[in-house]
Amino acid sequence: SEYVIEAFGEVGFSELRELLNCIELGLSQGSADTRELICASFVENLRGEEKAIKSLSTFIGPALQNEISKSIE
């Protein structure tokens, strides 16, 4: 998640969208281990990054949004 936040201003939108689409796919279609890995290594690191989450919101799919919401409650 740190990479995505840092890269937001440096890479093109297509690269950012592709990365977040991979994360979305892993959350929506991946195994339980894949989902747990994404949550532990990406989603949990977004805590306290409300500004970044808001900036990325147009690229975040429903499965990722759901996990982010659960993480910041």
Side-chain angles (χ1 to χ4, degrees):
S1 56
E2 247 180 78
Y3 169 78
V4 172
I5 293 168
E6 289 176 15
F8 184 67
E10 299 173 14
V11 299
F13 290 128
S14 62
E15 290 90 351
L16 188 57
R17 186 179 310 276
E18 186 175 337
L19 175 60
L20 291 173
N21 282 342
C22 288
I23 292 171
E24 180 71 20
L25 184 64
L27 286 172
S28 62
Q29 297 180 15
S31 67
D33 287 340
T34 299
R35 292 189 304 272
E36 179 63 28
L37 178 63
I38 292 169
C39 289
S41 65
F42 186 79
V43 176
E44 289 179 9
N45 287 310
L46 290 174
R47 289 184 186 145
E49 298 289 348
E50 287 79 12
K51 183 178 176 182
I53 293 168
K54 186 175 180 177
S55 296
L56 296 170
S57 65
T58 59
F59 302 103
I60 295 175
L64 181 54
Q65 182 60 54
N66 183 47
E67 292 301 328
I68 291 170
S69 296
K70 288 194 295 189
S71 174
I72 60 175
E73 289 179 340

